[in-house]
Amino acid sequence: MIKRTGERVLGIIGLVMFFLGTLFLGVLAIGDNQGLFEEVFMELTEESSELVESGTDPLTEEEANEVIETFDMINFTMLTIGSLLPAIAGIVAVILLKNKPVIASILFLGSTVFYGATSFLLLAFLIPAVPMILYIIAGIMALVRKPKEPVEQL
């Protein structure tokens, strides 16, 4: 039996990062549903706003409306679900890692592909790619590492 400490640690760090991303995207989804972005960006158009730094020009209403339209096009609820499913798959993979490393590897790699397909917009930033990289490394390690066979003495 091989010790799978490396895969387990990478998987746990990856799933914690996925859960943090899920929490962040969930907060954004709630804020989007309650009109938080509209309020903030319209506040940025006023010169007397506390959000506008002194010495800088506030946003024009056209710029604020463009940003609001961009945020309206993003479905934060789908991104939240797309981040939660790989985290759940990571929990299952970490549990299965010791007894069934091939299935755990498939879960790690499959959830990475799923996350990449559902949240390609977020991958423009580096932080959402980190848990994916950790899952890929853990999945490849679980798939490739085999138990050492005893060397026969002649």
Side-chain angles (χ1 to χ4, degrees):
M1 195 56 79
I2 291 182
K3 291 185 179 182
R4 302 264 181 197
T5 308
E7 293 95 323
R8 191 174 305 270
V9 168
L10 290 172
I12 290 171
I13 293 170
L15 74 90
V16 166
M17 291 182 79
F18 272 123
F19 272 126
L20 290 175
T22 301
L23 181 66
F24 177 71
L25 289 169
V27 168
L28 287 179
I30 292 169
D32 187 35
N33 290 337
Q34 294 180 352
L36 177 70
F37 298 128
E38 289 85 1
E39 290 177 27
V40 169
F41 288 112
M42 290 317 256
E43 177 80 18
L44 287 172
T45 61
E46 300 172 10
E47 288 186 33
S48 62
S49 171
E50 293 178 6
L51 299 176
V52 178
E53 291 184 25
S54 61
T56 60
D57 293 331
L59 291 176
T60 63
E61 286 202 29
E62 284 181 9
E63 293 171 336
N65 287 330
E66 288 176 15
V67 174
I68 291 169
E69 286 177 18
T70 303
F71 273 98
D72 285 342
M73 290 188 319
I74 299 172
N75 187 349
F76 287 109
T77 306
M78 273 309 283
L79 292 175
T80 304
I81 293 170
S83 181
L84 180 63
L85 292 178
I88 293 171
I91 292 172
V92 173
V94 167
I95 292 170
L96 293 176
L97 197 57
K98 186 171 186 175
N99 297 327
K100 298 180 180 181
V102 174
I103 294 174
S105 174
I106 291 170
L107 282 172
F108 278 134
L109 297 174
S111 63
T112 301
V113 169
F114 174 79
Y115 181 70
T118 58
S119 60
F120 59 90
L121 175 71
L122 293 177
L123 296 179
F125 306 108
L126 183 61
I127 292 176
V130 173
M132 287 179 62
I133 293 168
L134 294 174
Y135 269 24
I136 289 171
I137 294 170
I140 291 173
M141 283 175 65
L143 195 62
V144 173
R145 289 179 58 191
K146 303 288 180 200
K148 293 180 183 176
E149 296 182 18
V151 179
E152 294 180 20
Q153 297 291 331
L154 294 176

